[in-house]
Amino acid sequence: MERAIYLNDEIKSWHEANINPFNFSMMYGYGVFEGIRSYATSKGRSIFRLKDHINRLFDSAKIVNLKLVFTEDEIIQKIGCLIKEINGDNLYIRPMIYCDSDGFLGLKAKELRVDIAIAAVPWLYEPSTEQRDSGFTIITSSQKRPSLSSAYLNAKANGNYLSSIINLQDLVDTNIDDVVICDPQGFIAEASGANIFIIKNETLYTPFTYYALDGITRNTVLSLCDELNLQYQVSNLKKEDLYLADEIFLAGTAMEVMPVTKVDGRIISNGRQGNLTKEIFHSYKRIVTNQVEKYHLWHSYL
Ligand code: PMP
């Protein structure tokens, strides 16, 4: 199969996987999900940091109080069964925990049925060297992340994505690639679906994760700083820090390490991918394809 969905203990084709549209996740965004990638390695197809993703999926569910009736190992097993049905090494795997109120349309549902659907599709987006060298053009959004008393931003919850999706829909007819969102005070939080890093005077900076997802790619990038002899600091960053950065990149499972060369109409350095970003990207690629012995435990061969 080219793409498939694991639903209710059965693997289904894309079009057969049907659920009731009036479920709680669709009506109210009350669900959590993950985005995971598999890669071709010399030992075959490997899922990168699978356990960390499933762990975060369960943490997200706990934060938003979704009561699960399955274990992390069961989900890993399901992912294994699902991808055995799918051709290709480079896949995008998306488990989503959702819940159904079985016909109840009010808000205070007593007995939500919590379930999981897992999609696996071929990964088709691979930017060319020239696209990487020209980098992303981004803007800072006029919308802010909600305050910490209004949202659980460390949960990868469906409902948290509404503002990102609206921001991106506003940009579909422009040549702006992504949007960066600030926290309520105006410090940089993250991009629509990735964490952000800047490099200034050969030091790497990234925001705290109070208003951003604690990205697994962010963690991988911070881990490889040691090898690259690169100092890093987690700190508050302002828009000016972006404008005056030597290099900027976004980091996430989907976009890996993506250079940013223009922010709010201002060209960053010489407007091309920076050398350290390139080095970080190449190291990242070596890690995800299991070419660095030190990180082989991050690989799952299912
Ligand atoms: N922030 C947001 C809002 C995201 O959606 C993602 C993608 N999951 C990230 C950051 C990066 O997280 P990760 O590196 O774990 O994919």
Side-chain angles (χ1 to χ4, degrees):
M1 259 192 262
E2 232 228 337
R3 47 173 63 198
I5 295 179
Y6 206 120
L7 183 71
N8 300 330
D9 292 323
E10 262 185 86
I11 293 169
K12 306 210 173 178
S13 73
W14 203 255
H15 298 290
E16 281 171 344
N18 297 318
I19 52 170
N20 172 10
F22 290 93
N23 65 67
F24 248 54
S25 307
M26 196 141 154
M27 285 195 293
Y28 307 123
Y30 190 43
V32 295
F33 68 100
E34 269 305 315
I36 309 170
R37 282 180 70 174
S38 71
Y39 289 88
T41 75
S42 61
K43 295 188 210 139
R45 175 171 66 190
S46 156
I47 306 180
F48 186 60
R49 300 196 68 171
L50 175 63
K51 288 208 169 91
D52 295 315
H53 280 284
I54 298 304
N55 204 244
R56 187 173 65 188
L57 180 71
F58 277 59
D59 284 352
S60 296
K62 182 148 195 193
I63 291 171
V64 303
N65 206 8
L66 276 165
K67 305 212 166 50
L68 307 186
V69 290
F70 34 78
T71 64
E72 295 193 22
D73 282 345
E74 280 164 0
I75 301 312
I76 287 173
Q77 249 183 353
K78 284 187 182 200
I79 290 174
C81 293
L82 177 67
I83 66 168
K84 280 202 179 75
E85 300 289 322
I86 314 258
N87 308 322
D89 290 324
N90 298 309
L91 303 179
Y92 189 69
I93 302 161
R94 168 151 295 174
M96 178 173 65
I97 297 173
Y98 66 101
C99 54
D100 200 330
S101 52
D102 284 328
F104 177 79
L105 296 181
L107 292 173
K108 196 177 176 195
K110 251 208 152 127
E111 294 195 9
L112 285 172
R113 187 163 44 79
V114 178
D115 213 339
I116 184 160
I118 309 165
V121 301
W123 181 261
L124 300 174
Y125 174 71
E126 214 51 65
S128 65
T129 310
E130 174 46 33
Q131 279 169 326
R132 301 192 52 76
D133 281 340
S134 354
F136 265 17
T137 295
I138 65 171
I139 54 166
T140 53
S141 171
S142 55
Q143 287 194 340
K144 306 281 176 270
R145 281 280 182 252
S147 85
L148 296 184
S149 50
S150 310
Y152 295 117
L153 297 171
N154 285 155
K156 197 167 163 65
N158 297 29
N160 283 348
Y161 281 79
L162 184 60
S163 75
S164 289
I165 296 296
I166 295 170
N167 271 303
L168 292 176
Q169 283 298 310
D170 288 350
L171 297 179
V172 284
D173 293 325
T174 72
N175 47 20
I176 297 160
D177 299 292
D178 206 348
V179 60
V180 162
I181 303 152
C182 293
D183 73 19
Q185 270 187 285
F187 291 112
I188 304 298
E190 60 182 340
S192 63
N195 292 109
I196 188 162
F197 287 81
I198 73 166
I199 296 167
K200 182 77 181 175
N201 299 330
E202 303 196 346
T203 299
L204 188 66
Y205 298 86
T206 193
F208 295 98
T209 52
Y210 300 116
Y211 292 93
L213 195 69
D214 191 357
I216 290 167
T217 316
R218 175 183 183 276
N219 174 272
T220 305
V221 167
L222 294 179
S223 316
L224 61 81
C225 281
D226 271 355
E227 268 124 79
L228 298 180
N229 253 329
L230 196 59
Q231 301 282 344
Y232 74 81
Q233 264 182 43
V234 177
S235 61
N236 281 328
L237 298 174
K238 311 182 298 299
K239 283 191 198 179
E240 291 95 314
D241 296 318
L242 296 190
Y243 302 155
L244 302 179
D246 296 333
E247 302 182 26
I248 304 178
F249 63 87
L250 305 181
T253 300
M255 59 178 79
E256 301 179 318
V257 172
M258 175 55 75
V260 171
T261 49
K262 207 171 183 189
V263 183
D264 293 338
R266 292 145 177 96
I267 291 172
I268 305 309
S269 288
N270 64 358
R272 306 290 286 171
Q273 169 173 218
N275 289 337
L276 283 170
T277 304
K278 199 185 262 180
E279 222 180 304
I280 292 167
F281 170 70
H282 287 302
S283 299
Y284 183 77
K285 271 295 197 198
R286 281 166 37 79
I287 291 173
V288 294
T289 51
N290 204 359
Q291 295 180 62
V292 185
E293 177 62 25
K294 181 175 161 194
Y295 298 114
H296 77 275
L297 288 175
W298 280 347
H299 287 270
S300 299
Y301 293 89
L302 299 181

